[in-house]
Amino acid sequence: MKKNFFWRVSLILSATVLSILFFLPSTSLRSSMPEWLKDYGLILGLDLQGGVHLVYEVDGDKAAEITAERIAGSLTNIFKEKGVDAKAELLNLEINVKPGGDKAEKVINESYPNLELVTKTEGMLVYKLSDKEISSIKDLSADQALETIRNRIDAFGVSEPTIMRQGASEIVVQLPGVKDANRAIELVGKTAVLEFKLLDEENPLALELPGSIEADKEGELLAQYAGRIPEGDEILFEKVSDDLGNTIKRVYLVKKQSMMTGDFLTEARVNIEQNQPYVGISFNSTGAEIFKQITTNNVKKRLAIILDNNVYSAPSINEPIAGGSAQITGSYTMDEAKDLVIVLRSGSLPAPLKMLQNVTVGPSLGKDSIDAGIKAGLIGALMVIIFMIVYYKLSGLIADFALVLNIVFLIGVLSVFKATLTMPGIAGIILAIGMAVDSNVLMFERMRDELRLGKTPRSAIDSGYDKAFWTIFDSHVTTLITAVVLFQFGTGPIKGFAVTLGWGVLINLFTALIGTKTIFDIITSKYDIKRLSI
């Protein structure tokens, strides 16, 4: 019996100490905790600590247009390889092949059998993507965007973000604890199309363009030179700081043709030179060979490194560059350099994102929620504690002890597994506490029945626990199954509710069947109890 006591008491004490220990990093004592312990602690959700709630819509039509554009470009290359005199162009989501002919049609049917032939004349073939293909592209683009955003947020270092699809094309992003909403929004929405393009410095217009303009004058400059930009060229800008620290835009005349894209990128990292951060990038073997050819064939020319149509740097090629590495330099801060690395590593979005909702939840609202929750919890707990003591006397006090253990263990488990506590999660805790009270009431009523039959306190306690065991076990198992189903198929707040309810049910079984029984066993073994206070 003593050995049995020892392991039960040891188990309860160990669980209590560990629960408090893993919760401490969530308090003001965090700075004095060992480094390994700082990884744990209670994480508050968006509704409790504030943060950012964003809803995006993936532009599926643009994804379909990009796909059609790629097919048109690919067809032109295939025609060239197979010696077919034809060229494909995209016009209003239709792929026009000029001149048409049986050879061109055969190549298209072999290369892209899913394309639908719209019209066929002697001079031109017109194809389009099928409705089924467009639907598939839209669905796939939403999935790809979700995964890309998830990778970026993970690299951003946000704890317990919620990132999920909503409907056919919407993506919900919740970032608890994020205070710099603008930085997060820019990181998520950046498309990250990396391209290398040559400057067209030999064109007379390049000499006519101003070297730099004010930061908000891009539209005026483009309007001024509209109609004069050579076919195959475009005007792009680079954001820099002048000697006074003001932001200005350098102006470049750039060839539209991409010499190389970021598809061959294998690594991106932040480096520092002369206290200025820059991003070093590396290519795979194929990319390294292409980059070497580009730099070999264009010595003394300037190569612009462009991300999302913004020039980041435009260095001169002094000599062929082998080894497959390059640098993206610019006037940006360390945070901007890190964000650039994140988007390059996580890849580009398959289509632009349109922001539908941007809600910043302030910490004050979270604090109000916590204060209201704590107030309600304390009042409820106090009422339950008083009721149990009044109605069940000393036994009620033992049940109250089990309730306290319940809360301590549950907070400890959430801290160990770094689960996020939200308002629905608090509702799950309150429900679990209610079930704990119910369990004790069931056992105490069985014990009263046994005492009325004339049994001794020791015998009544054992019989009461034995008879109530399966009722308590059944109710807890069915609730646990419900929590598992909610966690499996629910999202966001529903999962938070399921987590606290599930763990609360498991902890209830421990505290109700082992915790309170241990207290009764200690009392009845140490004292000669003639009458049970219940």
Side-chain angles (χ1 to χ4, degrees):
M1 190 70 174
K2 285 185 178 179
K3 187 177 179 181
N4 195 7
F5 273 162
F6 177 76
W7 77 258
R8 280 192 285 167
V9 172
S10 299
L11 188 60
I12 293 170
L13 289 176
S14 301
T16 304
V17 171
L18 288 175
S19 296
I20 295 173
L21 183 66
F22 282 105
F23 172 68
L24 284 178
S26 309
T27 68
S28 57
L29 298 175
R30 174 184 168 80
S31 58
S32 58
M33 296 286 109
E35 285 300 320
W36 65 269
L37 193 56
K38 291 180 180 177
D39 291 336
Y40 300 95
L42 197 60
I43 300 171
L44 301 181
L46 186 71
D47 50 353
L48 295 181
Q49 66 166 322
V52 180
H53 173 92
L54 307 168
V55 180
Y56 288 98
E57 182 180 39
V58 181
D59 190 344
D61 292 334
K62 186 65 179 178
E65 183 183 337
I66 292 171
T67 302
E69 193 171 12
R70 285 179 180 169
I71 291 175
S74 174
L75 277 175
T76 300
N77 291 332
I78 294 173
F79 289 147
K80 194 174 180 181
E81 291 173 1
K82 293 184 178 291
V84 178
D85 182 21
K87 185 178 180 182
E89 290 181 341
L90 184 69
L91 184 63
N92 297 328
L93 281 178
E94 291 182 338
I95 300 171
N96 298 341
V97 179
K98 300 178 185 177
D102 294 338
K103 287 184 179 178
E105 186 175 359
K106 184 181 176 184
V107 168
I108 294 170
N109 291 336
E110 289 175 352
S111 304
Y112 294 98
N114 292 333
L115 287 179
E116 283 187 359
L117 181 62
V118 179
T119 58
K120 178 180 179 182
T121 61
E122 281 196 15
M124 184 169 69
L125 297 170
V126 179
Y127 285 86
K128 70 170 186 177
L129 296 170
S130 67
D131 293 340
K132 183 180 177 182
E133 187 74 14
I134 291 174
S135 176
S136 175
I137 290 170
K138 289 181 177 179
D139 186 58
L140 186 61
S141 64
D143 284 340
Q144 287 178 334
L146 180 73
E147 193 59 32
T148 302
I149 291 172
R150 193 188 305 281
N151 291 336
R152 291 180 181 181
I153 296 300
D154 287 346
F156 193 48
V158 178
S159 299
E160 297 289 322
T162 298
I163 306 164
M164 59 185 179
R165 273 188 71 171
Q166 178 175 276
S169 60
E170 293 180 6
I171 295 175
V172 177
V173 180
Q174 291 185 341
L175 307 175
V178 170
K179 295 179 176 61
D180 191 348
N182 291 333
R183 186 183 170 201
I185 292 169
E186 188 178 349
L187 179 72
V188 170
K190 190 172 281 187
T191 50
V193 176
L194 180 66
E195 298 173 289
F196 295 82
K197 296 181 178 180
L198 289 170
L199 300 190
D200 191 2
E201 293 183 300
E202 296 174 357
N203 193 290
L205 182 64
L207 301 175
E208 195 178 321
L209 289 172
S212 62
I213 58 173
E214 293 180 33
D216 56 350
K217 302 293 184 184
E218 299 103 313
E220 292 181 15
L221 184 132
L222 290 174
Q224 180 183 347
Y225 290 94
R228 296 183 56 197
I229 301 173
E231 186 178 355
D233 284 0
E234 59 186 337
I235 294 177
L236 297 179
F237 304 92
E238 178 188 4
K239 186 180 79 172
V240 295
S241 298
D242 62 12
D243 296 337
L244 300 175
N246 300 317
T247 300
I248 59 173
K249 293 288 183 73
R250 283 182 184 155
V251 185
Y252 297 102
L253 185 64
V254 182
K255 291 183 179 293
K256 282 185 179 177
Q257 182 188 4
S258 289
M259 304 299 290
M260 185 178 175
T261 67
D263 296 342
F264 304 100
L265 199 69
T266 58
E267 175 64 13
R269 60 203 170 275
V270 177
N271 296 327
I272 298 177
E273 188 174 271
Q274 296 180 345
N275 294 325
Q276 177 63 41
Y278 69 91
V279 176
I281 54 177
S282 302
F283 306 108
N284 60 20
S285 57
T286 304
E289 184 59 30
I290 294 173
F291 194 65
K292 181 182 176 183
Q293 289 179 8
I294 293 171
T295 52
T296 301
N297 298 333
N298 297 284
V299 173
K300 304 302 179 186
K301 294 182 180 178
R302 294 179 70 185
L303 184 68
I305 302 173
I306 300 164
L307 184 70
D308 294 342
N309 280 332
N310 295 306
V311 177
Y312 270 73
S313 54
S316 294
I317 303 172
N318 297 323
E319 58 185 9
I321 302 174
S325 61
Q327 296 178 0
I328 303 177
T329 58
S331 301
Y332 36 73
T333 64
M334 179 59 81
D335 281 344
E336 289 172 337
K338 288 178 179 176
D339 290 349
L340 178 57
V341 167
I342 289 172
V343 296
L344 288 174
R345 281 179 173 172
S346 58
S348 60
L349 291 167
L353 299 178
K354 178 184 177 184
M355 185 180 292
L356 301 180
Q357 192 176 8
N358 171 16
V359 178
T360 301
V361 182
S364 58
L365 180 59
K367 187 176 183 305
D368 292 343
S369 300
I370 294 174
D371 292 343
I374 290 175
K375 186 178 179 182
L378 286 176
I379 292 174
L382 187 63
M383 291 176 68
V384 170
I385 288 172
I386 293 173
F387 171 79
M388 293 298 286
I389 293 175
V390 170
Y391 198 72
Y392 291 110
K393 303 179 177 63
L394 180 62
S395 298
L397 190 61
I398 295 173
D400 291 338
F401 171 72
L403 291 185
V404 174
L405 278 185
N406 258 19
I407 297 172
V408 172
F409 290 168
L410 189 50
I411 289 176
V413 167
L414 294 177
S415 300
V416 169
F417 290 98
K418 293 183 273 189
T420 301
L421 182 63
T422 60
M423 285 303 288
I426 292 176
I429 293 175
I430 293 173
L431 180 56
I433 290 174
M435 291 186 67
V437 175
D438 191 42
S439 301
N440 285 287
V441 169
L442 278 172
M443 289 184 295
F444 292 168
E445 290 303 320
R446 296 291 81 76
M447 289 160 64
R448 279 181 169 179
D449 291 341
E450 297 301 315
L451 290 171
R452 290 191 193 101
L453 293 175
K455 289 188 177 181
T456 63
R458 177 69 260 172
S459 178
I461 291 170
D462 291 338
S463 296
Y465 273 88
D466 289 342
K467 290 183 177 179
F469 176 82
W470 287 111
T471 304
I472 296 171
F473 186 79
D474 287 349
S475 66
H476 280 63
V477 167
T478 51
T479 306
L480 183 61
I481 292 172
T482 304
V484 170
V485 172
L486 286 175
F487 182 81
Q488 182 65 32
F489 297 103
T491 57
I494 296 176
K495 277 196 172 185
F497 175 79
V499 167
T500 53
L501 178 62
W503 278 112
V505 166
L506 292 173
I507 292 169
N508 275 352
L509 285 173
F510 177 76
T511 56
L513 301 176
I514 296 179
T516 55
K517 183 71 163 42
T518 301
I519 304 296
F520 277 117
D521 287 344
I522 291 174
I523 293 174
T524 54
S525 64
K526 283 188 171 292
Y527 305 100
D528 184 17
I529 303 294
K530 300 296 183 186
R531 182 175 173 275
L532 186 61
S533 177
I534 189 169

